[in-house]
Amino acid sequence: MPMAISPGLLVVAGSFAAFRLLNRGLERLVPPPPSARRNRWKWRNIWTSLAHSLLSGGGALAGFCLHPGLSEDLVGTHPPGAHSLVAVSVGYFLEDFVDMLCNQKLHQSWELLFHHSVVIVCFGIAVLLHQYVGFALVALLVEINSIFLHLRQILLMANLVHTTCYRLNSIINLGTYVVFRIATLAWMTRWLFLNRENVPPATYAVGTVGMAIMTPMNIILFYRLLRSDFFKSSREVQREKEQ
């Protein structure tokens, strides 16, 4: 009798393929401006990431609104839509991992590759076990801030740094960074600590290591954003655009 494939894994595979196709077709949908034509793969990559952030960040918010029980039970409650959203995100992070590995030098992308590896492992546990889906959905609230991080990169590549749009996005980006990224990660760390007796040791270890990695990475990124967008020199802006 053939072994049944987990529906969650099918969603992951479908998501990987869909984001791969989107990445390939984005240059036709959103042609790069002259300033971004030297780095076409990055232009496609950022727009693909923006599409995922809109889907996952909006989906996570909708999930908590439509299923209030999720916020009360982050471990056992797993509505099909929420579980699928986490699986879709695993597919995206796998696609982005492969895209960076194929198109960017390791010394430029190792931080994001490391970040994606941690997310894939943690979200993969939720998809396979049908547990901690609510906790994974909390983590996807971070993607609300990612929308503005990706818009910032798009504006940088389009040479629109000295515009009102860029300045407004910078302010919203920092605000959502504090609310949806730093505060969310702090809340997740607190939840793990308070519920350590109810979480299996292996899962608790994975979660704790994940938070220990993500928290300093996000604090460093916040410092870089502050320095770049509010205390930057023209040389730093040019260097960031070319990376």
Side-chain angles (χ1 to χ4, degrees), residues 18-38:
F19 279 109
R20 200 73 187 141
L21 286 171
L22 177 64
N23 185 289
R24 294 292 177 88
L26 264 170
E27 201 163 330
R28 296 176 185 174
L29 295 172
V30 192
S35 56
R37 286 174 189 164
R38 287 194 310 163

Side-chain angles (χ1 to χ4, degrees), residues 160-161 163-172 229-230 232:
L160 297 172
V161 180
T163 62
T164 303
C165 187
Y166 183 89
R167 176 59 60 178
L168 180 62
N169 185 76
S170 295
I171 295 168
I172 297 172
D229 283 357
F230 295 93
K232 63 191 171 189

Side-chain angles (χ1 to χ4, degrees), residues 114-136:
F114 189 49
H115 167 274
H116 284 16
S117 299
V118 173
V119 173
I120 289 165
V121 170
C122 293
F123 281 18
I125 291 172
V127 171
L128 291 173
L129 299 183
H130 287 260
Q131 288 188 310
Y132 310 100
V133 171
F135 193 70

Side-chain angles (χ1 to χ4, degrees), residues 60-82:
L61 269 181
F64 284 111
C65 291
L66 295 172
H67 305 285
L70 268 173
S71 58
E72 298 169 9
D73 180 11
L74 298 180
V75 178
T77 304
H78 54 272

Side-chain angles (χ1 to χ4, degrees), residues 194-214:
L194 293 177
N195 292 273
R196 61 191 181 280
E197 294 179 0
N198 303 319
V199 178
T203 307
Y204 179 75
V206 171
T208 302
V209 170
M211 291 297 101
I213 292 168
M214 294 298 180

Side-chain angles (χ1 to χ4, degrees), residues 4-216:
I5 300 175
S6 164
L9 292 180
L10 290 176
V11 175
V12 170
S15 170
F16 178 91
F19 279 109
R20 200 73 187 141
L21 286 171
L22 177 64
N23 185 289
R24 294 292 177 88
L26 264 170
E27 201 163 330
R28 296 176 185 174
L29 295 172
V30 192
S35 56
R37 286 174 189 164
R38 287 194 310 163
N39 212 348
R40 291 175 181 269
W41 88 265
K42 186 177 179 182
W43 181 258
R44 295 193 306 270
N45 178 276
I46 295 169
W47 277 99
T48 305
S49 299
L50 176 60
H52 169 257
S53 294
L54 287 166
L55 174 66
S56 58
L61 269 181
F64 284 111
C65 291
L66 295 172
H67 305 285
L70 268 173
S71 58
E72 298 169 9
D73 180 11
L74 298 180
V75 178
T77 304
H78 54 272
H83 181 265
S84 295
L85 184 64
V86 176
V88 165
S89 289
V90 174
Y92 159 75
F93 283 113
L94 283 168
E95 189 280 331
D96 200 46
F97 187 99
V98 171
D99 194 40
M100 286 189 292
L101 208 58
C102 293
N103 293 288
Q104 200 169 29
K105 293 177 181 177
L106 192 59
H107 75 271
Q108 294 176 311
S109 61
W110 72 268
E111 288 179 80
L112 275 177
L113 291 174
F114 189 49
H115 167 274
H116 284 16
S117 299
V118 173
V119 173
I120 289 165
V121 170
C122 293
F123 281 18
I125 291 172
V127 171
L128 291 173
L129 299 183
H130 287 260
Q131 288 188 310
Y132 310 100
V133 171
F135 193 70
L137 218 62
V138 172
L140 283 177
L141 291 174
V142 167
E143 293 298 322
I144 294 171
N145 167 250
S146 294
I147 293 169
F148 302 100
L149 275 175
H150 299 319
L151 282 173
R152 175 183 178 275
Q153 287 184 295
I154 289 168
L155 292 168
L156 267 174
M157 291 192 73
N159 253 351
L160 297 172
V161 180
H162 304 292
T163 62
T164 303
C165 187
Y166 183 89
R167 176 59 60 178
L168 180 62
N169 185 76
S170 295
I171 295 168
I172 297 172
N173 185 27
L174 282 183
T176 55
Y177 200 104
V178 172
V179 174
F180 290 105
R181 194 171 285 268
I182 293 177
T184 296
L185 289 172
W187 187 91
M188 290 171 70
T189 303
R190 178 179 176 274
W191 185 91
L192 264 178
F193 177 76
L194 293 177
N195 292 273
R196 61 191 181 280
E197 294 179 0
N198 303 319
V199 178
T203 307
Y204 179 75
V206 171
T208 302
V209 170
M211 291 297 101
I213 292 168
M214 294 298 180
T215 300

